[in-house]
Amino acid sequence: MSEAPATSQFELFQEDYRLVERRSPRSRHIKVEIRSSTEVRLVYPRWVSRAQALAFLQERQGWVREKLAELRDQQASRGVTALCWDGQGELLFQGRRLPLRLVPASGLRPQVRFGPDDVCLFAAPQLGLQPRHLELILRRALLQRARQEARHLLDQEGARLGVQASGLRVNDTRTQWGSCNPGGLICLSWRLLLAPPEVFRYVAVHELCHLVHRNHSPRFWALVERQMPGYDAQREWLKEQGGMLQDWLPKS
């Protein structure tokens, strides 16, 4: 079993990214992984000292800077900004960029409120939460909200179609927005919550239609069209804009 990741700000090289260090019993070599535009993971075998691993990373700072810059340029071209808690941050939510606010509160349990005009995370200052903790709280709240939205969509659209999924799983996949297994279990990505609501609805309808037709035959697409006229616009949105959803709160 690998050790739990040790997270620290990589002040040694004064870089604007978070370093996650992990000793791995399976690793045979030191590896540097660029996980996002703000996070770098350093993985090394147990027989390698931390000083050796950091020296290895230092030798590759030029490559690290280049890859981080590429990711940030890609995000900038799509209008994505890193998560920020200084009052100037934004979050993509249901197709809109909303102000992201950290609000002092007296309760000892942080809470997230998704309002019509902003997203607020309420937390007691004495908790001393670091940005990575705030991000984790926000991610969990988004996952919970996505489950609620997904359940509502499956119930509503399933009733109209006359079908019922055997279960629902909401996760964070990189390759599929949704899937339906032979047993009728539907899986949806929580990132659909960041997209316009009709895009989320389209994916839910798409997977429900697979309960009737287990393929992408003309009959399948005719059923999707009957259930959601004009679905092509949502399908095209995912093709053109879907990559942007992966830039917000990137998977580590």
Side-chain angles (χ1 to χ4, degrees):
M1 182 180 295
S2 62
E3 296 180 5
T7 305
S8 62
Q9 184 69 30
F10 200 23
E11 297 175 349
L12 181 60
F13 304 133
Q14 298 181 346
E15 289 292 339
D16 184 24
Y17 63 79
R18 184 161 59 98
L19 176 68
V20 176
E21 302 172 34
R22 184 168 70 88
R23 287 183 181 271
S24 171
R26 298 181 180 179
S27 180
R28 296 184 179 181
H29 308 284
I30 305 174
K31 295 187 295 183
V32 179
E33 302 173 350
I34 310 299
R35 305 310 294 257
S36 73
S37 63
T38 58
E39 180 177 298
V40 175
R41 178 167 292 191
L42 180 63
V43 183
Y44 49 97
R46 287 185 171 177
W47 48 265
V48 171
S49 70
R50 183 173 185 267
Q52 288 176 301
L54 290 176
F56 180 88
L57 177 59
Q58 186 176 30
E59 291 173 358
R60 284 152 181 79
Q61 282 300 291
W63 177 82
V64 169
R65 291 192 188 98
E66 180 181 338
K67 293 301 179 182
L68 289 173
E70 287 178 5
L71 285 176
R72 288 166 183 161
D73 287 345
Q74 291 172 9
Q75 291 182 353
S77 68
R78 291 194 284 254
V80 178
T81 57
L83 209 62
C84 181
W85 300 95
D86 62 359
Q88 304 299 315
E90 291 182 318
L91 177 69
L92 185 67
F93 181 74
Q94 295 186 331
R96 299 171 57 210
R97 296 171 68 109
L98 299 180
L100 180 62
R101 309 188 193 282
L102 179 58
V103 182
S106 58
L108 294 179
R109 185 175 180 180
Q111 300 286 337
V112 176
R113 184 197 68 192
F114 298 100
D117 300 311
D118 59 13
V119 176
C120 295
L121 194 159
F122 298 87
Q126 62 266 31
L127 294 178
L129 297 174
Q130 298 300 309
R132 66 179 182 274
H133 298 136
L134 298 171
E135 181 176 324
L136 180 60
I137 293 166
L138 178 60
R139 185 186 294 271
R140 287 174 176 169
L142 285 164
L143 185 62
Q144 181 180 10
R145 177 65 178 264
R147 284 196 188 101
Q148 295 171 353
E149 296 288 339
R151 172 50 58 198
H152 173 73
L153 285 168
L154 293 187
D155 288 346
Q156 183 180 61
E157 300 296 336
R160 292 178 58 222
L161 266 170
V163 299
Q164 183 175 7
S166 64
L168 167 67
R169 183 177 298 161
V170 178
N171 47 26
D172 191 3
T173 58
R174 291 183 182 274
T175 58
Q176 290 181 309
W177 299 115
S179 64
C180 178
N181 74 11
L185 173 69
I186 290 180
C187 298
L188 299 171
S189 171
W190 72 260
R191 294 181 182 276
L192 291 167
L193 188 64
L194 308 182
E198 284 297 282
V199 172
F200 200 161
R201 180 183 168 226
Y202 158 68
V203 178
V205 167
H206 182 115
E207 301 310 329
L208 283 168
C209 287
H210 277 310
L211 295 175
V212 181
H213 302 292
R214 304 284 182 174
N215 49 45
H216 288 105
S217 64
R219 289 197 303 168
F220 167 82
W221 290 114
L223 182 60
V224 175
E225 176 68 28
R226 190 181 75 191
Q227 184 75 4
M228 188 176 184
Y231 73 88
D232 268 344
Q234 318 312 324
R235 190 182 181 197
E236 285 303 310
W237 191 97
L238 277 176
K239 288 180 179 179
E240 296 176 4
Q241 306 291 333
M244 173 183 62
L245 304 182
Q246 300 290 350
D247 291 336
W248 295 86
L249 289 160
K251 187 176 181 180
S252 58

